Amino acid sequence: MRLVLLGPPGAGKGTQATKLAAYLGVPHVSTGDILRHNVTARSELGKKAKAYMDAGGLVPDDLVIAMTERRLKEPDAKKGFILDGFPRTLAQAEALSKFTKLDAAVNLFLEPEELIKRNTGRRVCPKDDTVYHIFMNPPKKSGICDKCGTPLIIRDDDREDVVRTRIETYESQTAPLIKYYRDRGLLREVYASGLIQEIFLRTIEVLKESAQSRGR
Ligand code: AMP
């Protein structure tokens, strides 16, 4: 299955993408994770992307499109993928439509007040990218990754001022994709409040209905 996850920063795209990828047996492709690894590795791409990311803005389309196209050409993505964080602009959506055919675009939606609360409580493992939340999904031992014992960090772009900018960037550049995918009959809406498992089950349900309506 080839899926795109849409939704504002903090809607839980990364968490749901990880669960969906495991359930469907396809890779989770997070453009944010790929970019962060490039920043850490100080690659050419990472050097170009860092300033945009730190400011809560978008990395230029040409860089992100080329990077994602390369990733989706890898053998593990032949059977499908869960795209998390891409596309984020209409130009990216158009480019994506040229190199693959999607089954659905799932929009995780949530009230704006809850978004700020969610974003500022996020903690991540710098080693294996596991995402926690101090209220909704805390690690067993405060501040430590359950899987590898590494101290958790707050991402630079999870500071409150940056979170506000990221939400504004989402509203102006990415929210138009909801209409884009609705017009193409691919949009599926999932309310992203509640327990992680509840949201996951809602998503599976929506995808099953979607597959049935498409005759599969
Ligand atoms: P994320 O982890 O998906 O929130 O991404 C973190 C940051 O990486 C974003 O705030 C952007 O600066 C950058 N980024 C990730 N995906 C994209 C994309 N598709 N287009 C442009 N910038 C992106």
Side-chain angles (χ1 to χ4, degrees):
M1 188 172 267
R2 297 183 177 86
L3 283 186
V4 158
L5 289 193
L6 295 174
K13 292 192 299 295
T15 307
Q16 294 300 328
T18 305
K19 288 176 76 71
L20 283 168
Y23 178 79
L24 296 168
V26 296
H28 167 198
V29 176
S30 157
T31 47
D33 282 350
I34 301 174
L35 287 166
R36 277 185 289 279
H37 283 137
N38 274 276
V39 170
T40 308
R42 295 198 168 80
S43 72
E44 280 310 305
L45 172 62
K47 284 182 203 157
K48 288 180 189 152
K50 187 176 184 326
Y52 299 100
M53 296 171 74
D54 287 350
L58 293 185
V59 176
D61 283 336
D62 54 340
L63 297 178
V64 183
I65 290 169
M67 174 188 99
T68 307
E69 185 171 11
R70 267 199 309 280
R71 177 62 188 91
L72 295 185
K73 279 192 176 140
E74 285 176 30
D76 66 335
K78 286 271 182 297
K79 56 186 186 291
F81 50 79
I82 312 290
L83 257 180
D84 159 19
F86 185 99
R88 261 180 158 98
T89 63
L90 287 169
Q92 293 179 16
E94 277 296 318
L96 180 65
S97 74
K98 304 226 164 63
F99 52 78
T100 195
K101 192 171 178 314
L102 295 175
D103 292 298
V106 174
N107 182 37
L108 297 173
F109 66 95
L110 201 61
E111 294 83 3
E113 317 81 71
E114 210 177 315
L115 286 180
I116 298 279
K117 194 175 126 207
R118 283 204 188 185
N119 277 289
T120 47
R122 179 157 61 181
R123 302 290 180 272
V124 295
C125 173
K127 195 163 169 201
D128 63 17
D129 298 317
T130 307
V131 178
Y132 300 89
H133 192 282
I134 52 175
F135 306 125
M136 288 174 303
N137 178 31
K140 292 198 181 74
K141 193 169 164 216
S142 174
I144 301 292
C145 179
D146 290 348
K147 293 185 190 157
C148 67
T150 304
L152 302 178
I153 57 164
I154 301 179
R155 277 168 30 182
D156 281 346
D157 57 356
D158 278 344
R159 293 194 329 264
E160 193 166 333
D161 55 328
V162 181
V163 167
R164 286 190 191 281
T165 310
R166 292 173 72 216
I167 292 173
E168 283 160 21
T169 304
Y170 168 80
E171 290 296 340
S172 63
Q173 313 241 44
T174 309
L177 295 181
I178 296 171
K179 179 173 185 314
Y180 176 92
Y181 285 118
R182 186 182 292 125
D183 290 349
R184 283 155 184 78
L186 289 171
L187 190 75
R188 305 291 176 261
E189 301 262 22
V190 174
Y191 182 47
S193 182
L195 297 175
I196 289 170
Q197 186 64 12
E198 285 169 358
I199 302 162
F200 174 64
L201 294 177
R202 266 178 229 152
T203 310
I204 296 293
E205 211 40 53
V206 161
L207 291 174
K208 277 190 190 145
E209 285 164 17
S210 163
Q212 277 163 7
S213 72
R214 289 157 68 95
R216 278 185 226 154

PDB file of all heavy atoms in Angstrom, residues 31 58-62 64-65 68 85-99 174 177 180-181:
ATOM      1  N   THR A  31      10.591  12.168   5.765  1.00  0.00           N
ATOM      2  CA  THR A  31      11.567  13.105   5.182  1.00  0.00           C
ATOM      3  C   THR A  31      12.256  13.910   6.287  1.00  0.00           C
ATOM      4  O   THR A  31      13.425  14.254   6.155  1.00  0.00           O
ATOM      5  CB  THR A  31      10.886  14.043   4.153  1.00  0.00           C
ATOM      6  OG1 THR A  31       9.677  14.556   4.700  1.00  0.00           O
ATOM      7  CG2 THR A  31      10.592  13.295   2.876  1.00  0.00           C
ATOM      8  N   LEU A  58      10.404  25.502   5.528  1.00  0.00           N
ATOM      9  CA  LEU A  58      10.527  24.311   4.682  1.00  0.00           C
ATOM     10  C   LEU A  58      11.844  24.320   3.917  1.00  0.00           C
ATOM     11  O   LEU A  58      12.291  25.373   3.445  1.00  0.00           O
ATOM     12  CB  LEU A  58       9.374  24.251   3.668  1.00  0.00           C
ATOM     13  CG  LEU A  58       7.972  24.032   4.235  1.00  0.00           C
ATOM     14  CD1 LEU A  58       6.974  23.874   3.104  1.00  0.00           C
ATOM     15  CD2 LEU A  58       7.925  22.814   5.152  1.00  0.00           C
ATOM     16  N   VAL A  59      12.434  23.157   3.777  1.00  0.00           N
ATOM     17  CA  VAL A  59      13.617  22.964   2.942  1.00  0.00           C
ATOM     18  C   VAL A  59      13.139  23.097   1.483  1.00  0.00           C
ATOM     19  O   VAL A  59      12.031  22.651   1.162  1.00  0.00           O
ATOM     20  CB  VAL A  59      14.225  21.570   3.235  1.00  0.00           C
ATOM     21  CG1 VAL A  59      15.397  21.271   2.323  1.00  0.00           C
ATOM     22  CG2 VAL A  59      14.635  21.476   4.711  1.00  0.00           C
ATOM     23  N   PRO A  60      13.946  23.732   0.596  1.00  0.00           N
ATOM     24  CA  PRO A  60      13.470  23.955  -0.776  1.00  0.00           C
ATOM     25  C   PRO A  60      13.004  22.674  -1.480  1.00  0.00           C
ATOM     26  O   PRO A  60      13.591  21.597  -1.302  1.00  0.00           O
ATOM     27  CB  PRO A  60      14.700  24.546  -1.471  1.00  0.00           C
ATOM     28  CG  PRO A  60      15.463  25.216  -0.371  1.00  0.00           C
ATOM     29  CD  PRO A  60      15.239  24.359   0.848  1.00  0.00           C
ATOM     30  N   ASP A  61      11.948  22.853  -2.285  1.00  0.00           N
ATOM     31  CA  ASP A  61      11.316  21.718  -2.961  1.00  0.00           C
ATOM     32  C   ASP A  61      12.300  20.844  -3.741  1.00  0.00           C
ATOM     33  O   ASP A  61      12.244  19.620  -3.654  1.00  0.00           O
ATOM     34  CB  ASP A  61      10.246  22.236  -3.944  1.00  0.00           C
ATOM     35  CG  ASP A  61       8.967  22.654  -3.228  1.00  0.00           C
ATOM     36  OD1 ASP A  61       8.715  22.161  -2.114  1.00  0.00           O
ATOM     37  OD2 ASP A  61       8.230  23.464  -3.802  1.00  0.00           O
ATOM     38  N   ASP A  62      13.189  21.479  -4.538  1.00  0.00           N
ATOM     39  CA  ASP A  62      14.047  20.662  -5.418  1.00  0.00           C
ATOM     40  C   ASP A  62      14.883  19.674  -4.604  1.00  0.00           C
ATOM     41  O   ASP A  62      15.030  18.503  -4.985  1.00  0.00           O
ATOM     42  CB  ASP A  62      14.930  21.543  -6.325  1.00  0.00           C
ATOM     43  CG  ASP A  62      15.743  22.562  -5.539  1.00  0.00           C
ATOM     44  OD1 ASP A  62      15.377  22.864  -4.381  1.00  0.00           O
ATOM     45  OD2 ASP A  62      16.757  23.041  -6.076  1.00  0.00           O
ATOM     46  N   VAL A  64      14.229  18.405  -1.530  1.00  0.00           N
ATOM     47  CA  VAL A  64      13.409  17.386  -0.859  1.00  0.00           C
ATOM     48  C   VAL A  64      12.801  16.413  -1.884  1.00  0.00           C
ATOM     49  O   VAL A  64      12.695  15.216  -1.618  1.00  0.00           O
ATOM     50  CB  VAL A  64      12.304  18.075  -0.024  1.00  0.00           C
ATOM     51  CG1 VAL A  64      11.485  17.054   0.726  1.00  0.00           C
ATOM     52  CG2 VAL A  64      12.911  19.045   0.954  1.00  0.00           C
ATOM     53  N   ILE A  65      12.424  16.934  -3.034  1.00  0.00           N
ATOM     54  CA  ILE A  65      11.840  16.058  -4.064  1.00  0.00           C
ATOM     55  C   ILE A  65      12.885  15.036  -4.533  1.00  0.00           C
ATOM     56  O   ILE A  65      12.616  13.833  -4.593  1.00  0.00           O
ATOM     57  CB  ILE A  65      11.301  16.896  -5.251  1.00  0.00           C
ATOM     58  CG1 ILE A  65      10.047  17.671  -4.811  1.00  0.00           C
ATOM     59  CG2 ILE A  65      10.992  16.006  -6.460  1.00  0.00           C
ATOM     60  CD1 ILE A  65       9.571  18.734  -5.796  1.00  0.00           C
ATOM     61  N   THR A  68      13.492  12.396  -1.837  1.00  0.00           N
ATOM     62  CA  THR A  68      12.378  11.451  -1.648  1.00  0.00           C
ATOM     63  C   THR A  68      12.276  10.494  -2.832  1.00  0.00           C
ATOM     64  O   THR A  68      12.035   9.292  -2.652  1.00  0.00           O
ATOM     65  CB  THR A  68      11.057  12.226  -1.464  1.00  0.00           C
ATOM     66  OG1 THR A  68      11.240  13.178  -0.422  1.00  0.00           O
ATOM     67  CG2 THR A  68       9.912  11.298  -1.103  1.00  0.00           C
ATOM     68  N   GLY A  85       5.494  13.325   6.239  1.00  0.00           N
ATOM     69  CA  GLY A  85       6.170  14.627   6.105  1.00  0.00           C
ATOM     70  C   GLY A  85       6.416  15.034   4.665  1.00  0.00           C
ATOM     71  O   GLY A  85       7.049  16.058   4.414  1.00  0.00           O
ATOM     72  N   PHE A  86       5.945  14.269   3.736  1.00  0.00           N
ATOM     73  CA  PHE A  86       6.071  14.574   2.308  1.00  0.00           C
ATOM     74  C   PHE A  86       4.825  14.050   1.620  1.00  0.00           C
ATOM     75  O   PHE A  86       4.430  12.924   1.893  1.00  0.00           O
ATOM     76  CB  PHE A  86       7.306  13.879   1.718  1.00  0.00           C
ATOM     77  CG  PHE A  86       7.574  14.242   0.275  1.00  0.00           C
ATOM     78  CD1 PHE A  86       8.515  15.206  -0.051  1.00  0.00           C
ATOM     79  CD2 PHE A  86       6.878  13.601  -0.752  1.00  0.00           C
ATOM     80  CE1 PHE A  86       8.754  15.537  -1.379  1.00  0.00           C
ATOM     81  CE2 PHE A  86       7.120  13.929  -2.073  1.00  0.00           C
ATOM     82  CZ  PHE A  86       8.063  14.895  -2.388  1.00  0.00           C
ATOM     83  N   PRO A  87       4.179  14.800   0.747  1.00  0.00           N
ATOM     84  CA  PRO A  87       4.524  16.149   0.310  1.00  0.00           C
ATOM     85  C   PRO A  87       4.074  17.205   1.315  1.00  0.00           C
ATOM     86  O   PRO A  87       3.187  16.972   2.111  1.00  0.00           O
ATOM     87  CB  PRO A  87       3.728  16.299  -0.995  1.00  0.00           C
ATOM     88  CG  PRO A  87       2.531  15.421  -0.802  1.00  0.00           C
ATOM     89  CD  PRO A  87       3.002  14.256   0.012  1.00  0.00           C
ATOM     90  N   ARG A  88       4.747  18.368   1.246  1.00  0.00           N
ATOM     91  CA  ARG A  88       4.383  19.490   2.113  1.00  0.00           C
ATOM     92  C   ARG A  88       4.028  20.723   1.308  1.00  0.00           C
ATOM     93  O   ARG A  88       3.673  21.734   1.891  1.00  0.00           O
ATOM     94  CB  ARG A  88       5.570  19.820   3.022  1.00  0.00           C
ATOM     95  CG  ARG A  88       5.467  19.219   4.429  1.00  0.00           C
ATOM     96  CD  ARG A  88       6.716  19.647   5.156  1.00  0.00           C
ATOM     97  NE  ARG A  88       6.644  19.646   6.568  1.00  0.00           N
ATOM     98  CZ  ARG A  88       7.092  18.659   7.348  1.00  0.00           C
ATOM     99  NH1 ARG A  88       7.517  17.536   6.812  1.00  0.00           N
ATOM    100  NH2 ARG A  88       7.081  18.795   8.653  1.00  0.00           N
ATOM    101  N   THR A  89       4.149  20.649   0.000  1.00  0.00           N
ATOM    102  CA  THR A  89       3.739  21.770  -0.869  1.00  0.00           C
ATOM    103  C   THR A  89       3.051  21.169  -2.093  1.00  0.00           C
ATOM    104  O   THR A  89       3.211  19.964  -2.386  1.00  0.00           O
ATOM    105  CB  THR A  89       4.961  22.575  -1.378  1.00  0.00           C
ATOM    106  OG1 THR A  89       5.764  21.700  -2.180  1.00  0.00           O
ATOM    107  CG2 THR A  89       5.803  23.137  -0.248  1.00  0.00           C
ATOM    108  N   LEU A  90       2.318  22.023  -2.807  1.00  0.00           N
ATOM    109  CA  LEU A  90       1.655  21.529  -4.021  1.00  0.00           C
ATOM    110  C   LEU A  90       2.689  21.058  -5.041  1.00  0.00           C
ATOM    111  O   LEU A  90       2.471  20.059  -5.728  1.00  0.00           O
ATOM    112  CB  LEU A  90       0.768  22.630  -4.615  1.00  0.00           C
ATOM    113  CG  LEU A  90      -0.520  22.902  -3.819  1.00  0.00           C
ATOM    114  CD1 LEU A  90      -1.201  24.167  -4.314  1.00  0.00           C
ATOM    115  CD2 LEU A  90      -1.489  21.720  -3.898  1.00  0.00           C
ATOM    116  N   ALA A  91       3.823  21.757  -5.134  1.00  0.00           N
ATOM    117  CA  ALA A  91       4.866  21.348  -6.083  1.00  0.00           C
ATOM    118  C   ALA A  91       5.372  19.940  -5.741  1.00  0.00           C
ATOM    119  O   ALA A  91       5.607  19.110  -6.637  1.00  0.00           O
ATOM    120  CB  ALA A  91       6.013  22.348  -6.064  1.00  0.00           C
ATOM    121  N   GLN A  92       5.510  19.642  -4.448  1.00  0.00           N
ATOM    122  CA  GLN A  92       5.952  18.296  -4.044  1.00  0.00           C
ATOM    123  C   GLN A  92       4.885  17.257  -4.384  1.00  0.00           C
ATOM    124  O   GLN A  92       5.205  16.148  -4.831  1.00  0.00           O
ATOM    125  CB  GLN A  92       6.256  18.258  -2.544  1.00  0.00           C
ATOM    126  CG  GLN A  92       7.473  19.096  -2.152  1.00  0.00           C
ATOM    127  CD  GLN A  92       7.751  19.079  -0.653  1.00  0.00           C
ATOM    128  OE1 GLN A  92       7.240  18.233   0.086  1.00  0.00           O
ATOM    129  NE2 GLN A  92       8.565  20.019  -0.196  1.00  0.00           N
ATOM    130  N   ALA A  93       3.617  17.613  -4.174  1.00  0.00           N
ATOM    131  CA  ALA A  93       2.536  16.663  -4.476  1.00  0.00           C
ATOM    132  C   ALA A  93       2.501  16.353  -5.969  1.00  0.00           C
ATOM    133  O   ALA A  93       2.333  15.196  -6.379  1.00  0.00           O
ATOM    134  CB  ALA A  93       1.194  17.237  -4.015  1.00  0.00           C
ATOM    135  N   GLU A  94       2.691  17.383  -6.785  1.00  0.00           N
ATOM    136  CA  GLU A  94       2.704  17.186  -8.242  1.00  0.00           C
ATOM    137  C   GLU A  94       3.881  16.284  -8.638  1.00  0.00           C
ATOM    138  O   GLU A  94       3.732  15.372  -9.444  1.00  0.00           O
ATOM    139  CB  GLU A  94       2.835  18.539  -8.961  1.00  0.00           C
ATOM    140  CG  GLU A  94       1.512  19.262  -9.114  1.00  0.00           C
ATOM    141  CD  GLU A  94       0.532  18.491  -9.994  1.00  0.00           C
ATOM    142  OE1 GLU A  94       0.963  17.950 -11.028  1.00  0.00           O
ATOM    143  OE2 GLU A  94      -0.654  18.396  -9.626  1.00  0.00           O
ATOM    144  N   ALA A  95       5.051  16.560  -8.053  1.00  0.00           N
ATOM    145  CA  ALA A  95       6.237  15.746  -8.366  1.00  0.00           C
ATOM    146  C   ALA A  95       5.989  14.295  -7.956  1.00  0.00           C
ATOM    147  O   ALA A  95       6.273  13.357  -8.717  1.00  0.00           O
ATOM    148  CB  ALA A  95       7.461  16.300  -7.648  1.00  0.00           C
ATOM    149  N   LEU A  96       5.428  14.099  -6.772  1.00  0.00           N
ATOM    150  CA  LEU A  96       5.169  12.741  -6.282  1.00  0.00           C
ATOM    151  C   LEU A  96       4.238  11.997  -7.240  1.00  0.00           C
ATOM    152  O   LEU A  96       4.450  10.814  -7.526  1.00  0.00           O
ATOM    153  CB  LEU A  96       4.556  12.812  -4.879  1.00  0.00           C
ATOM    154  CG  LEU A  96       4.212  11.489  -4.218  1.00  0.00           C
ATOM    155  CD1 LEU A  96       5.487  10.669  -3.960  1.00  0.00           C
ATOM    156  CD2 LEU A  96       3.475  11.700  -2.892  1.00  0.00           C
ATOM    157  N   SER A  97       3.237  12.693  -7.753  1.00  0.00           N
ATOM    158  CA  SER A  97       2.274  12.033  -8.646  1.00  0.00           C
ATOM    159  C   SER A  97       2.956  11.564  -9.930  1.00  0.00           C
ATOM    160  O   SER A  97       2.471  10.668 -10.612  1.00  0.00           O
ATOM    161  CB  SER A  97       1.103  12.965  -8.965  1.00  0.00           C
ATOM    162  OG  SER A  97       1.519  13.962  -9.874  1.00  0.00           O
ATOM    163  N   LYS A  98       4.117  12.158 -10.243  1.00  0.00           N
ATOM    164  CA  LYS A  98       4.836  11.741 -11.458  1.00  0.00           C
ATOM    165  C   LYS A  98       5.683  10.505 -11.209  1.00  0.00           C
ATOM    166  O   LYS A  98       5.954   9.741 -12.119  1.00  0.00           O
ATOM    167  CB  LYS A  98       5.714  12.877 -11.975  1.00  0.00           C
ATOM    168  CG  LYS A  98       4.918  14.144 -12.222  1.00  0.00           C
ATOM    169  CD  LYS A  98       5.239  14.790 -13.555  1.00  0.00           C
ATOM    170  CE  LYS A  98       4.188  15.806 -13.943  1.00  0.00           C
ATOM    171  NZ  LYS A  98       4.077  16.957 -13.016  1.00  0.00           N
ATOM    172  N   PHE A  99       6.142  10.289  -9.951  1.00  0.00           N
ATOM    173  CA  PHE A  99       6.961   9.094  -9.752  1.00  0.00           C
ATOM    174  C   PHE A  99       6.300   7.962  -8.995  1.00  0.00           C
ATOM    175  O   PHE A  99       6.890   6.902  -8.839  1.00  0.00           O
ATOM    176  CB  PHE A  99       8.394   9.378  -9.274  1.00  0.00           C
ATOM    177  CG  PHE A  99       8.598  10.252  -8.060  1.00  0.00           C
ATOM    178  CD1 PHE A  99       8.414   9.754  -6.782  1.00  0.00           C
ATOM    179  CD2 PHE A  99       9.030  11.558  -8.209  1.00  0.00           C
ATOM    180  CE1 PHE A  99       8.646  10.546  -5.671  1.00  0.00           C
ATOM    181  CE2 PHE A  99       9.263  12.362  -7.099  1.00  0.00           C
ATOM    182  CZ  PHE A  99       9.068  11.862  -5.833  1.00  0.00           C
ATOM    183  N   THR A 174       1.051  23.662   3.483  1.00  0.00           N
ATOM    184  CA  THR A 174       0.708  22.235   3.405  1.00  0.00           C
ATOM    185  C   THR A 174      -0.798  21.982   3.460  1.00  0.00           C
ATOM    186  O   THR A 174      -1.292  21.068   2.787  1.00  0.00           O
ATOM    187  CB  THR A 174       1.433  21.459   4.533  1.00  0.00           C
ATOM    188  OG1 THR A 174       2.813  21.804   4.487  1.00  0.00           O
ATOM    189  CG2 THR A 174       1.302  19.957   4.367  1.00  0.00           C
ATOM    190  N   LEU A 177      -2.971  20.959   0.542  1.00  0.00           N
ATOM    191  CA  LEU A 177      -2.910  19.583   0.008  1.00  0.00           C
ATOM    192  C   LEU A 177      -4.157  18.778   0.372  1.00  0.00           C
ATOM    193  O   LEU A 177      -4.470  17.781  -0.279  1.00  0.00           O
ATOM    194  CB  LEU A 177      -1.672  18.847   0.545  1.00  0.00           C
ATOM    195  CG  LEU A 177      -0.335  19.423   0.096  1.00  0.00           C
ATOM    196  CD1 LEU A 177       0.805  18.606   0.674  1.00  0.00           C
ATOM    197  CD2 LEU A 177      -0.249  19.417  -1.411  1.00  0.00           C
ATOM    198  N   TYR A 180      -6.273  19.329  -2.450  1.00  0.00           N
ATOM    199  CA  TYR A 180      -5.619  18.682  -3.607  1.00  0.00           C
ATOM    200  C   TYR A 180      -5.973  17.197  -3.648  1.00  0.00           C
ATOM    201  O   TYR A 180      -6.395  16.665  -4.676  1.00  0.00           O
ATOM    202  CB  TYR A 180      -4.104  18.891  -3.502  1.00  0.00           C
ATOM    203  CG  TYR A 180      -3.280  18.200  -4.566  1.00  0.00           C
ATOM    204  CD1 TYR A 180      -2.940  18.863  -5.749  1.00  0.00           C
ATOM    205  CD2 TYR A 180      -2.828  16.889  -4.384  1.00  0.00           C
ATOM    206  CE1 TYR A 180      -2.176  18.223  -6.715  1.00  0.00           C
ATOM    207  CE2 TYR A 180      -2.073  16.251  -5.351  1.00  0.00           C
ATOM    208  CZ  TYR A 180      -1.743  16.927  -6.519  1.00  0.00           C
ATOM    209  OH  TYR A 180      -0.994  16.287  -7.479  1.00  0.00           O
ATOM    210  N   TYR A 181      -5.835  16.511  -2.493  1.00  0.00           N
ATOM    211  CA  TYR A 181      -6.114  15.071  -2.477  1.00  0.00           C
ATOM    212  C   TYR A 181      -7.615  14.777  -2.450  1.00  0.00           C
ATOM    213  O   TYR A 181      -8.048  13.750  -2.971  1.00  0.00           O
ATOM    214  CB  TYR A 181      -5.370  14.389  -1.324  1.00  0.00           C
ATOM    215  CG  TYR A 181      -3.893  14.248  -1.635  1.00  0.00           C
ATOM    216  CD1 TYR A 181      -2.917  14.874  -0.867  1.00  0.00           C
ATOM    217  CD2 TYR A 181      -3.466  13.506  -2.734  1.00  0.00           C
ATOM    218  CE1 TYR A 181      -1.571  14.769  -1.172  1.00  0.00           C
ATOM    219  CE2 TYR A 181      -2.114  13.395  -3.053  1.00  0.00           C
ATOM    220  CZ  TYR A 181      -1.182  14.025  -2.273  1.00  0.00           C
ATOM    221  OH  TYR A 181       0.150  13.917  -2.591  1.00  0.00           O
TER     222      TYR A 181
END
